[in-house]
């Protein structure tokens, strides 16, 4: 663990005052004598005279388990590389049984095989606990109250290789049998750990063990120094040392570390005096933050905390890693009390149970949220929890999905045993809003919390409420009169308006009910009901007319209605399809007459869909509703139907068009919304809706996922969710679509509570304002995103927002263009939590002279941003294509000669926007052409994004070449004629490489769909398997074509995006083609592939339908390369790894070389997708890194989401594409302070732009720069003065000895060799005594052996 730093054994700490020693001994010896005798008696059988090898250890552990079977259980969690068992001894009064409320503790030793003291002391500890149970009170308490797990050796293979007496590890054994450092092989929070699981079976076993158990505290024992180290072990900066990487539980970790160090006679001094360490190294109180000591990527202690809720510290026990066995007794004595003391800390903090209020059973996986500490733990299988906390006062909230949350305030945690804290939660499903009583017992107090008795209150008022009298069917004229009647009678709370007209010019009426009708009140959510979308499903229409009557007549008298109308702006559209209603007939049970509108289109199949292209023309009713929803920031909605009895929630369809659960990102809240309606409707909640029609149909609790029931492409509810802020469900109100009028009172009584309860759900989750920090005005269109929920919502014009969420703990980010994002940790309970965000503009001075928007003073960038936003809209690219009708007359293929002439022709005809160059030559001396299209071809424009389109890697896939040639001509023709195309060319560097393998193309044959002829180059090499690496040796091994592409197109070219066209299927793949465990930045790579696929009329359907694999299904038409046809050394992987450019491969059709007559159709299908890439390259994040004076910082590291790294250009620019959502950006430049920013990327907005200003790091060697410079200056001055004095003295002495030296010079030849030999001998002596390690520099050896 400790480094091999040079230490000096000076006598600085060696003197002790004799009188102090005498006093100390006198005060300690007498009371401790009895304890010492007792300890000696209790451990008489612990043999510390030798090391136990694997066989000895196994036999000893088996013997102990057999001898103490009532207390011990020996088991293996896995095996090492060399098939040695990873033994664990469980010590408990109930071994093998999990007892509710009993905390689990573990020790792991010998992770580094040559750090052997840890292995031995854990064997001794195991023996000590088992043999002294029943004889020692302290041992009894530990074993009775704790489940103890001890793993003496995590690396038994390494131990067998290590050598006794090797203090520095030079003989090996540190790593496992595959030479992997186990403490650099765990999942890391800041950077990807590149290790193959097959190489570290020990790590895989321990990770599984950690995740499968609710360990509370853990100690990881090492050797090489004497100190207790605590998280975090590394940081985002990965600064070698000196960077304090603080965890949210820093105080707890320091407490744990001190609990061990304070009982260790050497560790507590903070001065290990290890001969292999620097003489000045000290640790205050014997503890250190891991990263502050030195950075450890992939360590086990951080993994325990972040992935296992387990608080682990790392304990360095000895300076010598593998000391002689004679030292083991002393080490056991030094560590015994510390080992026991740390184990006892598993009982600190708070502990208890979280239980279901009705069933009394424990609730597992409930989050224990401590206010002010950004790290939650979860309950175990029995609802039990142990949350470590240092003494203090805390507010603690328990959050569990499907339950109301409970918060207890002012909980006192004392030194010693944990404060007992039990929570009882009410189920959101089981509870009918009756009294909730939560009794919480602590050591000091008993607290009772009572929730409002809502249902009782409702029952009292409902008896006084005025019920509707108007139970009849209303045709259009009747409905219109009724709506006008209530609008006239209740003008203070109603506003009747229309959103448009039907095909037959009937008004689509909406009744607004609010205490301030006609206006959007800041902070008040907007709610809507829509009925009668299918004209013959009429129950919803009549219920909504009843609801209007009920709300109007009871406002001001009924508290429930008054509260709803006062706090909510309610919009009710009784009929979305008034034409269909007029055609339908009373008594229709399950017919279709009147279902569609007057144009005979199903309105609930007429909205844009995420999975399928809706070819039917948009109907007037559909367009009116879309326009309505775009004008009002609706939060919640229900669409009322008939034909069954169930609440249906998104998604309504899936990519495959089959009945399967299609989960939205907000599946949890949608289930809760659906249940809020269904549970108030008893027949619906029973789940057997229409027994006479569908006897086998069952919906648990009366709700269903839409697609799981049946697919509805083009449905309104999904469009609401995906295109607006509005969460909509579809409610089927009964089996009869058009029941007789005498049944209408029954429908009202059955649904009244449900209708009211559903409106109340608009007040759940979080709400608030996004404000400008300067003027405190609301920020319109700010984005609110919840971490790990891929669905943003946006603020309204006044900056107010609403975000529906189930109770839980969330990380929520607010961002807006031109502002610095802000993230808050929020605990959501049953009622909406108000969370306001105040955002600072990126140019505000108070943010450290922070980021500036990366634009110039002209209006052109704004116009271009508007263009990108316009083209990103749903119909944007379609409008562009319609406005640019170019007939390219694709009727033939171009061989190499034709291709060359066509490219030269483009350059000749459009010389101001094109540049043609050769990247190199093929084996048969054909040019590999690259055509640049730009308003300044050949010039470097550092701030512009660069995109490359490549085809013909496989010569037999000829379609890509023709598509790129057509695309180039399309762009050139429209430059100067079409405004959008002109601006795209002016703002983008476009490079088109139509044929990488021209030799293969020359021998490929038209009409040969599956032929391999031409796939490879002349040497028979598949070029997409030839990108082997970027070293000079690897480049020399590549084929000529590959090598030229690498040198002249990929490396150091600064491309932002790469699109490769191939053939053989109809899909898009994203990196990697090689099998890998995890893909960094996968969301972005997948998103880019999705953009291409979604703009293709067939690809996004996910059914290539190729003759060789007709059943192939590729969801969304995209797949990671390795999951489709994985292979090594692909161009895509090389581009990402070495070119730092995301690349996707588009397979344009099943046939590699179809007949020329098909080219026009293929061009038509791909034109929009190719254009979408030109738009997409202008999104993501673009920026510049400068110093405070505005000077660019080249080659600064830009780290994205603590993983992907890109470098700034020579002018300080960077541009990276990112998936929509929030992202963390870190800027690191040598000699400058680390800067972290948060940005939000939108799929509809141009690139987020900023300048990151970095300040000079004024520290050298961890000290202020001025102090170091001053000290260095003083030192140099002293050296110069001393040198002058020495020179003077030597000069005087030289004058006295001149005569003697004169005589010596006469015999110079005789003495020269002797003098030289003496000089060499002196140097050799110096090296042998002070610089023994000639193999490593200080930097190499400084941290080589940390835990």
């Amino acid at each position: 663990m400790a480094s091999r730093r040079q230490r000096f054994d000076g006598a600085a700490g060696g003197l002790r005052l004799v009188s102090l020693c005498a006093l100390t001994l006198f005060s300690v010896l007498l009371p401790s004598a009895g304890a010492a005798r007792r300890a000696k008696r209790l451990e008489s059988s612990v043999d510390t005279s030798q090391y136990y090898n694997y066989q000895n250890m196994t036999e000893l552990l088996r013997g102990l388990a057999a001898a103490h079977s009532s207390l011990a259980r020996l088991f293996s969690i896995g095996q090492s590389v060399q098939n040695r068992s990873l033994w664990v001894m469980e010590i408990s009064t109930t071994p093998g049984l999990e007892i509710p409320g009993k905390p689990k503790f573990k020790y792991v030793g010998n992770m580094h095989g040559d750090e052997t003291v840890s292995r031995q002391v854990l064997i001794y500890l195991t023996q000590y606990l088992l043999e002294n149970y029943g004889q020692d009170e302290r041992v009894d308490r530990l074993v009775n109250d704790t489940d103890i797990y001890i793993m003496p050796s995590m690396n038994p293979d390494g131990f067998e290789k290590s050598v006794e007496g090797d203090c520095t590890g030079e003989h090996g054994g540190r790593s496992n049998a595959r030479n992997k450092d186990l403490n650099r092989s765990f999942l890391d929070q800041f950077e990807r750990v590149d290790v193959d699981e097959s190489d570290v079976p020990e790590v895989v076993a321990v990770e599984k063990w950690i995740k499968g158990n609710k360990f509370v505290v853990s100690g990881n024992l090492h050797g090489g120094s004497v100190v207790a180290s605590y998280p975090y072990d590394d940081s985002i900066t990965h600064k070698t040392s000196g960077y304090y990487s603080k965890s949210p539980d820093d105080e707890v970790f320091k407490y744990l570390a001190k609990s061990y160090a304070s009982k260790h006679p050497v560790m507590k001094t903070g001065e290990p005096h290890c001969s292999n360490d620097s003489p000045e190294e000290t640790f205050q109180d014997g503890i250190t933050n891991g990263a502050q000591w030195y950075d450890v990527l992939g360590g086990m202690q951080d993994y325990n905390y972040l992935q296992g809720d387990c608080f682990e510290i790392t304990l360095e026990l000895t300076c010598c890693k593998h000391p002689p066995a004679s030292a083991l007794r002393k080490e056991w004595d030094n560590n015994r009390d510390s080992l026991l003391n740390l184990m006892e800390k598993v009982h600190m903090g708070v502990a208890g149970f979280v239980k279901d209020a009705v069933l009394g059973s424990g609730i597992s996986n409930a989050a224990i949220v401590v206010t002010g500490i950004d790290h939650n733990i979860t309950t175990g299988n029995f609802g039990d929890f142990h949350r470590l906390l240092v003494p203090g006062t805390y507010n603690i909230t328990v959050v569990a999905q499907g339950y109301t949350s409970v918060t207890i305030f002012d909980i006192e945690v004392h030194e010693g045993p944990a404060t007992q804290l039990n929570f009882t939660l009410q189920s959101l499903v089981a509870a009918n809003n009756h009294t909730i009583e939560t009794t919480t017992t602590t050591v000091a107090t008993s607290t009772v919390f009572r929730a409002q008795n809502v249902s009782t209150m409702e029952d009292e008022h409902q008896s006084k409420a005025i019920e509707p009298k108007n139970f009849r069917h209303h045709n259009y004229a009747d409905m219109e009169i009724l709506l006008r009647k209530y609008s006239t009678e209740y003008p203070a709370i109603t506003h009747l308006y229309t959103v448009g007209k039907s095909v037959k010019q009937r008004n689509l009426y909406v009744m607004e009910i609010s205490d301030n009708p006609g206006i959007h009140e800041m902070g008040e959510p907007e709610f809507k009901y829509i009925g009668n979308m299918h004209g013959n499903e009429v129950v919803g229409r009549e219920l909504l007319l009843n609801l209007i009557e009920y709300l109007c007549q009871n406002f001001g008298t009924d508290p429930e209605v008054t509260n709803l109308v006062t706090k909510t702006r309610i919009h009710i559209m009784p009929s979305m399809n008034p034409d269909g209603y007029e055609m339908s007939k009373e008594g229709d049970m399950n017919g279709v007459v009147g279902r569609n509108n007057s144009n005979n289109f199903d309105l609930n199949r007429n909205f844009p869909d995420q999975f399928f292209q809706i070819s039917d023309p948009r109907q007037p009713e559909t367009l009116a509703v879309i326009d309505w929803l775009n004008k009002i920031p609706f939060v919640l909605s229900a669409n009322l139907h008939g034909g069954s009895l169930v609440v249906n929630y998104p998604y309504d369809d899936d990519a495959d068009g089959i009945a399967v659960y299609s989960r939205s990102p907000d599946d949890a809240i949608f289930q809760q919304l659906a249940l809020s309606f269904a549970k108030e409707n008893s027949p619906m909640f029973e789940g057997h809706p229409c027994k006479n029609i569908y006897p086998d149909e069952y919906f648990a609790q009366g709700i269903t996922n839409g697609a799981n029931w049946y697919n509805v492409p083009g449905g309104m509810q999904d469009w609401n969710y995906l295109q607006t802020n509005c969460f909509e469900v579809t409610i089927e109100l009964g089996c009869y679509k058009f029941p007789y009028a005498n049944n209408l009172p029954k429908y009202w009584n059955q649904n009244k509570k449900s209708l009211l309860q559903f409106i109340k759900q608009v007040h759940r989750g979080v709400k608030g304002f996004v404000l400008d920090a300067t003027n405190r005005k609301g920020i319109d269109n700010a984005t609110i995103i919840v971490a790990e929920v891929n669905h943003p919502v946006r603020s309204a014009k006044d900056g107010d927002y609403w975000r529906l969420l189930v109770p839980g703990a969330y990380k929520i980010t607010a961002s807006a263009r031109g502002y610095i994002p802000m993230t808050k940790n929020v605990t959501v309970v049953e009622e909406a939590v108000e969370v306001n965000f105040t955002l600072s503009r990126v140019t505000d001075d108070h943010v450290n002279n922070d980021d500036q928007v990366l634009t110039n003073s002209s209006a052109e960038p704004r116009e271009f941003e508007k263009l990108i936003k316009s083209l990103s809209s749903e119909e944007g690219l379609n409008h562009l294509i319609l406005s640019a009708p170019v007939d390219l007359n694709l009727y033939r293929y171009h061989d190499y000669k034709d291709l060359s002439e066509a490219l030269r022709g483009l350059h000749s005809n459009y010389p101001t926007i094109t540049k043609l160059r050769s990247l190199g030559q093929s084996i048969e001396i054909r040019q590999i052409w690259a055509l640049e299209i730009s308003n300044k071809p050949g010039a470097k424009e550092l701030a512009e994004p660069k995109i490359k389109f490549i085809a013909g890697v496989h010569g037999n896939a000829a379609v890509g070449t023709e598509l790129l040639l057509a695309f180039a001509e399309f762009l050139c023709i429209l430059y100067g004629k079409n405004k959008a195309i002109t601006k795209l060319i002016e703002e983008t560097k476009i490079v088109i490489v139509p044929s990488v393998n021209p030799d293969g193309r020359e021998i490929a044959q038209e009409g040969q769909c599956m032929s391999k002829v031409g796939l490879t180059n002349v040497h028979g090499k598949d070029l997409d398997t030839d990108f082997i690496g970027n070293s000079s040796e690897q480049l020399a091994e590549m084929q000529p074509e590959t090598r030229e592409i690498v040198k002249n197109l990929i490396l150091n070219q600064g491309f932002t995006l790469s699109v490769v066209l191939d053939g053989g299927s109809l899909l898009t793949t994203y990196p990697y083609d090689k099998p890998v465990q995890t893909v960094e930045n996968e969301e972005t790579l997948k998103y880019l592939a999705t953009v291409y696929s979604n703009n293709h009329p067939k690809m996004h359907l996910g059914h290539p339908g190729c003759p060789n694999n007709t059943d192939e299904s590729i969801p969304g038409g995209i797949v990671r390369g390795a999951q489709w046809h994985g292979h090594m050394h692909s161009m895509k992987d090389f581009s990402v790894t070495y070119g730092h450019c995301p690349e996707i491969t588009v397979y344009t059709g099943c046939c590699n070389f179809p007949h020329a007559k098909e080219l026009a159709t293929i061009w038509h299908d791909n034109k929009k997708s190719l254009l979408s890439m030109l738009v997409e390259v202008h999104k993501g994040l673009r920026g510049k890194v400068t110093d405070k004076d505005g000077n660019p910082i080249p080659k600064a590291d830009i780290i994205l989401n603590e993983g992907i790294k890109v470098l700034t250009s020579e002018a300080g620019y960077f541009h990276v594409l990112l998936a929509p959502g929030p992202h963390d950006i870190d800027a690191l430049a040598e000699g400058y302070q680390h800067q972290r920013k948060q940005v939000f990327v939108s799929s509809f907005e141009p690139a987020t732009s900023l300048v990151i200003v970095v300040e000079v790091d004024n520290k050298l060697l961890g000290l202020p720069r001025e102090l170091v410079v001053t000290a260095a200056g003083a030192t140099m001055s002293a050296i110069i003065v001393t040198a002058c004095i020495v020179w003077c003295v030597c000069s005087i002495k030289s004058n006295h000895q001149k005569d003697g030296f004169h005589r010596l010079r006469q015999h110079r030849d005789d003495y020269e060799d002797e003098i030289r030999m003496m000089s060499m001998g002196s140097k050799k002596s110096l090296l042998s005594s002070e610089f023994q390690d000639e193999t490593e520099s200080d930097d190499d050896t400084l941290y080589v052996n940390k835990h």
Side-chain angles (χ1 to χ4, degrees), residues 585-775:
K585 302 294 183 182
E586 186 173 357
D588 178 10
M589 182 177 183
N590 56 5
V592 294
V593 176
R595 173 186 176 89
N596 295 344
N597 74 346
S598 289
N599 287 336
N600 199 28
F601 287 105
D602 188 330
L603 298 181
N604 207 33
R605 307 295 189 279
N606 197 236
F607 283 79
D609 191 84
Q610 63 175 322
F611 298 117
F612 296 94
Q613 192 78 23
I614 303 302
S615 58
D616 292 342
R618 300 278 183 270
Q619 295 302 294
E621 299 89 345
T622 306
L623 292 171
V625 169
I626 288 176
D627 184 60
W628 179 38
L629 267 64
N630 284 328
K631 290 177 179 176
I632 297 177
F634 289 110
V635 180
L636 180 60
S637 171
N639 177 14
L640 307 186
H641 284 252
S644 189
L645 190 62
V646 66
V647 183
N648 158 40
Y649 55 88
Y651 288 135
D652 243 345
D653 64 342
D654 73 293
D656 296 324
I658 58 176
V660 65
Y661 201 113
S662 186
R663 189 183 307 272
S664 75
D666 281 289
D667 192 67
I669 185 62
F670 273 120
Q671 288 192 48
Q672 181 173 301
L673 294 171
L675 278 169
S676 71
F677 192 99
K679 71 180 182 181
E680 300 291 348
N681 184 322
S682 297
M684 183 182 289
F685 193 70
E686 289 174 3
H688 295 282
C690 307
K691 296 178 182 179
N692 295 334
I693 310 172
Y694 311 110
D696 298 327
E697 197 163 56
Y698 172 69
F699 303 108
Q701 298 181 322
I703 68 173
T704 183
N705 172 263
N708 203 37
W709 186 16
Y710 62 93
N711 257 244
V712 178
M716 183 166 70
Q717 75 173 9
D718 288 6
W719 188 89
N720 268 264
Y721 176 65
L722 292 168
Q723 301 300 327
T724 77
N725 287 343
C726 188
F727 287 54
E728 180 170 282
V729 299
T730 302
I731 303 173
E732 304 281 347
L733 294 165
C735 302
Y736 273 80
K737 294 185 176 182
F738 202 144
Y740 291 101
N742 60 2
N743 290 313
L744 292 178
K746 180 190 74 172
Y747 283 103
W748 169 251
N749 292 329
Q750 187 173 300
N751 287 283
K752 178 181 68 174
K753 282 187 179 181
S754 295
L755 290 165
L756 297 174
Q757 187 65 28
F758 188 76
I759 299 175
K760 294 175 186 177
Q761 305 309 301
V762 79
H763 297 284
R764 292 191 177 276
V766 291
K767 64 178 182 179
F769 289 84
V770 183
L771 304 172
D772 185 302
T774 305
N775 55 27

Side-chain angles (χ1 to χ4, degrees), residues 175-231:
S175 300
N176 74 350
R178 293 236 170 93
N179 200 31
K180 297 296 182 182
D181 188 329
L182 301 184
N183 209 33
R184 304 297 189 279
S185 301
F186 282 81
L187 181 70
D188 192 86
Q189 63 176 321
F190 297 118
E191 189 172 320
R192 178 184 170 192
V193 177
D194 192 11
V195 63
D196 194 315
E197 287 188 354
S198 62
D199 287 336
V200 285
E202 301 91 346
V203 170
V204 173
V206 170
E207 285 182 344
K208 184 178 180 182
W209 185 42
I210 291 169
K211 286 195 169 184
N213 291 273
K214 281 287 181 182
F215 292 113
V216 180
V217 180
S218 174
N220 179 13
L221 277 53
H222 285 255
S225 188
V226 186
V227 66
S229 164
Y230 55 88

Side-chain angles (χ1 to χ4, degrees), residues 873-942:
S873 65
E874 183 183 355
E875 298 297 328
L877 288 173
N878 289 332
H879 291 155
L880 169 59
I881 292 170
L882 289 173
S883 69
V886 177
D887 183 11
L888 295 178
N889 196 18
L890 275 70
Y891 65 93
R892 68 183 182 91
Y893 283 99
H894 294 74
D895 60 15
Y896 172 73
K897 182 174 178 292
D898 291 340
L899 174 67
S900 300
E901 291 175 353
L903 291 170
R904 290 190 188 104
L906 284 173
H907 177 51
S908 299
N909 285 285
Y910 304 98
T912 60
I913 62 167
T914 64
K915 179 180 179 181
L916 182 63
R917 66 188 177 104
S918 172
L919 300 176
Q921 294 178 332
S922 67
I923 296 169
E924 294 184 338
I925 321 299
R926 292 183 175 94
Q927 305 298 325
I928 302 172
W929 294 114
L931 180 71
E932 179 186 334
I933 302 176
S934 167
N935 66 328
K936 296 178 182 179
K940 281 190 175 182
E941 295 184 80
L942 298 173

Side-chain angles (χ1 to χ4, degrees), residues 218-220 228-231 253 256-257 260 301 311-315 342:
S218 174
N220 179 13
S229 164
Y230 55 88
F253 277 118
L256 293 174
Y260 195 99
Q301 75 173 5
F311 287 62
E312 179 170 282
I313 60 174
T314 302
L315 304 161
L342 180 62

Side-chain angles (χ1 to χ4, degrees), residues 855-868:
T855 63
N856 57 39
S857 58
S858 72
E860 288 188 7
R862 286 288 178 194
E863 290 300 316
F864 186 67
E865 289 175 3
K866 290 180 180 177
L867 172 65
I868 294 299

